[in-house]
Amino acid sequence: MPVSFAEVVEISNANPRLRAATGLAKAISSAEKTSGDFERALLDWLRLHVHCDHCVVFGYRGSARPPLLFETFSAAESYIYVALYQEGPYLLDPFYHAAVDGKEGFHRMRELAPDRFYTSEYYRSYYSQTGLAEEVGFFIQLPERTSVVLSLMRVAASGPFGTAEVRVLRDLTPVVLSLCAQHWRDLPDLAGARNRTAFPVLPGTEFDRARLWASQSLTAREGEIVNLVLQGHSSDSISRLLQISVGTVKVHRRNIHQKLGIHSQAGLFARFIELLNETR
């Protein structure tokens, strides 16, 4: 005698393993849909394994403003996590840099963040507003240098993801990447000639950012250092990345402050946002 869908649901609710299999089957069957069913089904399946408070999915291509592909925020939360982020702070986000650099798989923010990220002005002025205890993400690389990042977030009240939970998420990564690559396989086309509004370009490509700082009389090297400082790199970290001495980095930073007429990281971040606004 055939088993009805309602009976399958009832059975799966009583059996955690079957419930997970049923949830995965739903995500697989909805991967071809564009109505949001896939994202919700995939998130429901992931939540059977670990707890998360929020989920957001962005597409990244170069320095273009990242389109929002999915979110679970309230309207007030969305202003901080999405609208404000898209205005420019995404250019300093470790997840953004990892995505455009071609990283794939599962990564924690704490693994990708520069050594001074949590004391940077970007963190104090923007990221701390989110109130997150931790953010982790699945990084999916698509054709045409396009990336999708599915972020899972835990607020302070929930605490960071535990070691066992992170292990589970890493184990689930091949399935998540495969399903996401299938679901968003047309995203590079949306960024191309058929619909150029999918990735509207902001002043923020490496070329544009070089021009941005050149307009303030900074040299190319000083522009590089400014971008690294804004991301949360210390002088030691910048020294290693650019293969120059720490003393040289400090000289550059003094020159940058003098040319920009600033005296702190707060002033540098404010100038960065001001210049972005001026070029729109």
Side-chain angles (χ1 to χ4, degrees):
M1 182 182 208
V3 179
S4 69
F5 179 75
E7 289 174 311
V8 170
V9 172
E10 183 178 354
I11 293 170
S12 66
N13 285 338
N15 185 325
R17 186 173 298 176
L18 182 56
R19 186 164 67 246
T22 303
L24 178 58
K26 185 175 181 181
I28 293 172
S29 66
S30 60
E32 298 292 331
K33 299 179 181 179
T34 58
S35 61
D37 291 345
F38 166 71
E39 292 88 342
R40 285 187 287 271
L42 182 62
L43 178 58
D44 288 344
W45 177 65
L46 289 170
R47 279 176 163 161
L48 291 174
H49 299 86
V50 301
H51 166 73
C52 72
D53 296 302
H54 298 302
C55 176
V56 65
V57 184
F58 283 108
Y60 295 103
R61 191 181 190 193
S63 294
R65 185 196 300 267
L68 172 69
L69 304 178
F70 179 72
E71 65 171 323
T72 60
F73 307 119
S74 67
E77 291 166 340
S78 186
Y79 172 73
I80 295 174
Y81 287 97
V82 179
L84 194 58
Y85 178 77
Q86 290 174 317
E87 285 300 303
Y90 74 89
L91 291 166
L92 305 177
D93 180 15
F95 273 20
Y96 157 75
H97 283 279
V100 298
D101 285 344
K103 279 194 179 295
E104 194 163 34
F106 174 83
H107 300 281
R108 307 176 80 173
M109 176 66 78
R110 65 180 66 177
E111 297 169 346
L112 300 175
D115 58 346
R116 294 292 174 82
F117 174 74
Y118 294 101
T119 59
S120 69
E121 192 58 35
Y122 164 75
Y123 182 85
R124 288 195 292 263
S125 298
Y126 169 71
Y127 198 85
S128 62
Q129 294 183 58
T130 64
L132 293 179
E134 187 171 13
E135 181 177 2
V136 300
F138 294 97
F139 291 69
I140 302 96
Q141 293 298 324
L142 303 174
E144 303 297 329
R145 299 178 65 84
T146 301
S147 305
V148 167
V149 178
L150 185 155
S151 294
L152 302 179
M153 301 168 169
R154 295 266 285 259
V155 298
S158 299
F161 292 91
T163 302
E165 292 173 307
V166 170
R167 187 181 303 114
V168 167
L169 291 172
R170 292 194 194 280
D171 290 343
L172 298 178
T173 297
V175 176
V176 175
L177 266 56
S178 178
L179 288 174
C180 288
Q182 178 183 353
H183 179 68
W184 282 298
R185 65 182 181 276
D186 293 329
L187 192 61
D189 292 335
L190 294 178
R194 288 194 294 128
N195 183 2
R196 294 191 183 278
T197 61
F199 284 87
V201 177
L202 281 178
T205 62
E206 293 304 324
F207 173 71
D208 286 333
R209 265 184 281 183
R211 291 179 56 190
L212 193 73
W213 295 119
S215 71
Q216 303 299 298
S217 300
L218 299 190
T219 66
R221 176 63 88 187
E222 288 168 346
E224 284 182 294
I225 291 173
V226 163
N227 289 327
L228 291 171
V229 169
L230 286 168
Q231 292 169 40
H233 288 275
S234 67
S235 292
D236 287 341
S237 178
I238 295 171
S239 169
R240 290 191 296 272
L241 287 170
L242 300 184
Q243 297 184 324
I244 58 179
S245 71
V246 174
T248 299
V249 174
K250 291 180 178 178
V251 169
H252 280 307
R253 293 183 70 165
R254 283 197 297 270
N255 291 339
I256 290 166
H257 283 204
Q258 184 176 12
K259 289 181 178 181
L260 298 181
I262 59 174
H263 305 284
S264 65
Q265 266 204 55
L268 182 60
F269 183 77
R271 180 59 58 85
F272 174 66
I273 298 299
E274 178 185 323
L275 290 172
L276 280 180
N277 290 332
E278 287 177 359
T279 53
R280 291 187 184 137

